[in-house]
Amino acid sequence: MQETRQNRISRLIQKELSLIFQSQTRMMHGVMVSVTRVKISPDLSICTAYLSIFPSEKGEEILAAVTKNQATIRYDLGQRVRNQLRIIPELRFFIDDSLDYINRIDELLKM
């Protein structure tokens, strides 16, 4: 039962965060940020979001900017989901490097 609720809230937060990042990155040409996975703690207080950033060279720079503006992103998320969630979880962001890992494996297999 609890796991089903966590999954629903994770999907909701992933959808809303992706919309927030989509609207924010429109101003930055040539950069795309997508939310690949969201995990939420069992008590629904901490949300861990994994971001895929293209181009990957700007990953650290954009992650630093996202972390710096974490409070603003949480506020925007709260405005969007205020009718579904009573407490907005604390957000933590990490880079999802699975695409880089897959590309690296493909390059090694081609050799």
Side-chain angles (χ1 to χ4, degrees):
M1 180 76 173
Q2 180 73 6
E3 189 171 320
T4 303
R5 184 164 188 236
Q6 285 176 321
N7 290 337
R8 288 171 127 189
I9 292 173
S10 293
R11 285 193 306 260
L12 173 70
I13 291 174
Q14 181 178 2
K15 184 183 102 173
E16 295 300 333
L17 281 176
S18 66
L19 293 173
I20 290 169
F21 285 126
Q22 183 180 14
S23 66
Q24 294 297 321
T25 57
R26 277 199 184 128
M27 295 172 245
M28 300 169 25
H29 298 288
V31 175
M32 185 173 72
V33 177
S34 59
V35 182
T36 57
R37 186 175 45 177
V38 171
K39 291 184 180 180
I40 194 153
S41 64
D43 62 350
L44 307 177
S45 64
I46 299 173
C47 173
T48 305
Y50 294 90
L51 305 177
S52 178
I53 300 169
F54 181 80
S56 59
E57 295 82 30
K58 295 184 178 184
E60 293 297 326
E61 174 187 342
I62 292 177
L63 183 65
V66 166
T67 306
K68 181 180 173 187
N69 295 321
Q70 194 169 356
T72 307
I73 295 169
R74 185 176 179 198
Y75 176 78
D76 290 342
L77 179 66
Q79 293 297 312
R80 291 173 174 262
V81 298
R82 67 176 173 233
N83 295 329
Q84 289 96 359
L85 295 177
R86 188 168 44 115
I87 297 172
I88 307 304
E90 175 187 338
L91 299 174
R92 296 182 182 167
F93 296 103
F94 296 99
I95 292 180
D96 183 17
D97 58 352
S98 60
L99 291 176
D100 294 334
Y101 182 72
I102 290 170
N103 288 336
R104 177 76 176 132
I105 289 176
D106 283 343
E107 288 174 10
L108 290 174
L109 289 175
K110 288 180 182 177
M111 290 182 171

